[in-house]
Amino acid sequence: MNLKLLGEVFVTLLVIVDPPGMVPVFLALTGTMDGRARMKAGTQAVLLALGVIVGFAVAGQTLLDYLHVELPALQGAGGLLLILVALQLLTGKADEPSEQGGTTNVALVPIGTPLLAGPGAIVATMLFVQRAESADEYLVIGIGILLVMLAVWLVLRFSGVIVKLLRPAGIEVLTRIAGLLLAAIAVQLIADAIDAFVQLYINAP
């Protein structure tokens, strides 16, 4: 097993998804629910996010080909969007949901998507799939995605305990660190997209 690739997939997606930063939003959306309903909402959100990410990993390139969009374009767009998200995390101005809904609605939108399965996670997953050269590497990527979703589910499952342990100040610090790392990933995505476009034009007949 390619442990280096597994580590890259796990760390990259974990930073993008930012489970600690999800805790305040998740608790705000599920504040009126009992423990069982909150756990159900978290499970539904994680399953939806897993389905969206895997779907783009499997068929995302086909969709881009149909739309005549190069992967570097999506990569650059994802990088720009990630910068906006990173700035929100760093400044503490992340958008707060204005309404609360039922368990299913909360699980689907906004927790499942776009908070968990957002453009950053989708683009990152597609890039890993693009780099894969064997069935073993595809399997490693799949395992990495599953491990990240498991980590997210555990955080949401025990979100009440996590808040009591870290307290608001601890979660705020972790959110700022995640924002800094996310900004670095976004800049790298944009730089790679520019480099890919340059290579395309250089190698064009």
Side-chain angles (χ1 to χ4, degrees), residues 130-186:
Q130 186 84 0
R131 285 170 45 190
E133 299 178 349
S134 65
D136 290 341
E137 292 187 348
Y138 289 121
L139 178 61
V140 168
I141 293 172
I143 293 174
I145 295 172
L146 288 175
L147 289 177
V148 170
M149 290 297 106
L150 177 60
V152 172
W153 182 83
L154 289 174
V155 169
L156 297 184
R157 172 67 177 82
F158 299 103
S159 56
V161 178
I162 292 174
V163 168
K164 291 180 181 179
L165 291 176
L166 295 180
R167 302 191 180 278
I171 291 180
E172 184 175 354
V173 170
L174 289 178
T175 301
R176 297 296 185 273
I177 294 174
L180 180 61
L181 295 175
L182 193 59
I185 292 174

Side-chain angles (χ1 to χ4, degrees), residues 116-130:
L116 291 180
I122 291 171
V123 171
T125 303
M126 290 180 61
L127 290 175
F128 281 121
V129 171
Q130 186 84 0

Side-chain angles (χ1 to χ4, degrees), residues 10-24:
F10 181 78
V11 173
T12 300
L13 291 181
L14 194 67
V15 170
I16 292 174
V17 174
D18 184 25
M22 277 291 303
V23 170

